[in-house]
Amino acid sequence: MLNGKHGKAIKKSMEIITTLGGIYGASRLVDVSSVQVAGVSYANLGEAGLEFLNEMAEDGKTKVLTTLNPAGMDLENWKELGIDSKFAKNQERVIEAFEKMGIISTCTCTPYFIGNLPHFGEHIAWSESSAVCYANSVLGARTNREGGPSALAAALTGKTAEYGLHLDENRQAELTIDVEAQISKTFRFGALGKVIGDGAEGKIVYIRGIPKASVEELKSFCASVATYGGIPMFHMEGITPECKSTQIPEETMTVRESDIDKVIEELTDDSEVDFVSIGCPHCSINEIAEIAELLRGKEVKKELWITTARPIKEIADRMGYSKVIEASGAKFACDTCCVVAPIKGRFKTLCTDSAKGCYYARGKNKFNTKLNSIEECLEAALK
Ligand code: F3S
């Protein structure tokens, strides 16, 4: 592969993989069974990124199941979401390059909801921080936090260098977190992720004191702990499959109810809401069903986006949820989200149930934020 016998794209991919392997001291390559490629929005890629993708697409083809992260727009209903046609054209060129390589162009940060679902112990190469954390900690698969190009390289070769979280010794917990608070609902799990992320200094944590957590709560927690703490993996009692094979660290940190409340307060500005977005990470069908019930027969007064993967929206269509939601005036934003879409300057204050969403809304789009439960977010949209 490295000497170019298999073509230019594979040679370039193997150069990326072996360079990274060299830097991190890997002694061999491992086969991967699944890849998730981030860096899809034209707003982040620009012409230089697109040129790289087109070069790889000249003779590169995926060897394993590969899905894409959210793009800068809904690939079908971009006009309705206020995206200009020049951006849309460029975003379509990006998607075409990925499709030419055989990558499934469903753009979502929850690939595990649409059939890219690796199992315990599988080596994979994913590059979306929330999904990386979910894959390592909830599914028990093994992935480093790949960048867009290194994930693409793994997709085209079916290999990655064996270092970091592919190795047992690097998956051990270093800090125990005792949760002495009742945590329920996605926004409070997101707040917990920030408390731990801020306090753990990038360490892999062992979490106890959470008797149960839904898939949606875990995805919210994963997104937040990865965003605020750069933590690519945790062990949670009763959730993480390999929890038992890690030692419980002596060093402990306690999280109390007041810590969670403080974070919610911190992420809530005193400002009039003009934009509501739910689905960071992308909504599950369960969340959409809940939203439909809460919006049934009502009319939203603010811009309200429900962000999700297109196949999940298609289930919602079949179930009649989409009709109820759209009748209220709320909009689905498939393939994209309120962070990667180019909406800077369009709104002033975002209300969301996602702590990760608040981080990027403030940092990237310069919005004020309000962190609330899904019910409260919808109430704000209806006001
Ligand atoms: Fe997904 Fe966008 Fe949030 S990519 S995790 S919805 S910032």
Side-chain angles (χ1 to χ4, degrees):
M1 288 185 186
L2 198 51
N3 68 19
K5 248 193 205 167
H6 299 269
K8 277 197 305 188
I10 288 201
K11 179 174 165 42
K12 172 61 83 198
S13 298
M14 199 41 90
E15 282 168 2
I16 294 171
I17 293 169
T18 52
T19 302
L20 284 170
I23 291 169
Y24 292 105
S27 57
R28 60 174 193 158
L29 302 177
V30 284
D31 291 339
V32 294
S33 56
S34 144
V35 173
Q36 167 79 0
V37 176
V40 181
S41 173
Y42 179 79
N44 301 331
L45 283 167
E47 274 309 301
L50 183 52
E51 204 177 299
F52 169 73
L53 291 178
N54 279 331
E55 262 172 41
M56 298 299 263
E58 272 173 31
D59 63 350
K61 283 273 176 282
T62 52
K63 296 265 189 313
V64 294
L65 175 65
T66 305
T67 45
L68 282 183
N69 230 34
M73 63 182 200
D74 186 310
L75 299 177
E76 290 178 11
N77 295 327
W78 50 270
K79 262 192 204 135
E80 218 179 289
L81 298 174
I83 304 294
D84 76 72
S85 56
K86 191 169 168 228
F87 180 86
K89 236 192 175 70
N90 286 326
Q91 185 62 73
E92 276 161 8
R93 289 164 65 213
V94 171
I95 300 299
E96 275 163 26
F98 281 125
E99 280 176 346
K100 198 171 166 205
M101 289 184 265
I103 296 175
I104 292 171
S105 56
T106 292
C107 301
T108 182
C109 50
T110 53
Y112 40 91
F113 286 159
I114 60 144
N116 192 352
L117 184 63
H119 61 68
F120 178 64
E122 265 188 275
H123 293 284
I124 61 173
W126 282 18
S127 60
E128 151 57 38
S129 64
S130 68
V132 164
C133 190
Y134 192 94
N136 280 315
S137 320
V138 180
L139 305 177
R142 298 182 167 217
T143 178
N144 287 316
R145 200 167 155 166
E146 301 290 347
S150 66
L152 182 61
L156 300 184
T157 59
K159 314 251 176 224
T160 193
E162 189 186 41
Y163 65 90
L165 293 173
H166 291 284
L167 298 166
D168 285 343
E169 61 265 33
N170 299 324
R171 298 175 66 86
Q172 300 304 308
E174 302 160 278
L175 172 68
T176 299
I177 307 286
D178 281 313
V179 179
E180 292 180 0
Q182 298 294 325
I183 315 281
S184 68
K185 305 205 172 189
T186 50
F187 81 119
R188 289 185 73 81
F189 268 87
L192 175 67
K194 175 161 165 42
V195 173
I196 295 176
D198 286 345
E201 296 166 339
K203 290 180 185 142
I204 294 180
V205 292
Y206 183 97
I207 304 166
R208 47 190 186 190
I210 297 187
K212 67 176 179 134
S214 68
V215 165
E216 291 79 11
E217 289 165 342
L218 288 168
K219 81 172 161 70
S220 177
F221 176 73
C222 287
S224 176
V225 84
T227 296
Y228 290 98
I231 296 175
M233 155 159 207
F234 58 82
H235 296 262
M236 189 182 281
E237 280 185 354
I239 297 288
T240 307
E242 69 205 85
C243 203
K244 288 195 189 78
S245 60
T246 192
Q247 297 235 319
I248 301 177
E250 273 172 29
E251 193 192 343
T252 58
M253 173 182 145
T254 304
V255 178
R256 300 195 171 81
E257 209 83 48
S258 56
D259 299 315
I260 305 290
D261 294 340
K262 210 165 125 205
V263 160
I264 294 171
E265 213 172 288
E266 230 176 85
L267 294 178
T268 300
D269 294 307
D270 183 17
S271 165
E272 180 75 21
V273 173
D274 57 354
F275 181 37
V276 179
S277 184
I278 298 170
C280 172
H282 273 175
C283 277
S284 69
I285 190 65
N286 227 1
E287 286 175 311
I288 292 177
E290 182 190 342
I291 292 165
E293 265 331 291
L294 291 164
L295 291 179
R296 189 178 289 280
K298 298 181 181 152
E299 192 190 329
V300 301
K301 305 282 188 321
K302 312 269 163 67
E303 182 86 357
L304 167 58
W305 286 14
I306 314 295
T307 56
T308 191
R310 191 164 301 280
I312 301 297
K313 160 80 165 44
E314 279 160 12
I315 301 174
D317 292 347
R318 269 175 174 260
M319 295 303 295
Y321 305 146
S322 307
K323 219 172 166 191
V324 174
I325 289 172
E326 284 167 341
S328 77
K331 295 173 185 165
F332 276 96
C334 298
D335 319 305
T336 189
C337 76
C338 65
V339 170
V340 293
I343 52 171
K344 192 173 175 183
R346 261 180 68 191
F347 305 105
K348 199 163 164 270
T349 305
L350 168 74
C351 182
T352 177
D353 68 321
S354 167
K356 174 178 178 174
C358 292
Y359 178 89
Y360 284 104
R362 284 179 170 185
K364 184 171 172 274
N365 286 334
K366 310 290 172 225
F367 296 159
N368 293 323
T369 60
K370 280 191 196 291
L371 180 64
N372 269 326
S373 67
I374 289 183
E375 294 89 324
E376 286 165 322
C377 289
L378 297 181
E379 268 166 36
L382 292 164
K383 240 193 224 167

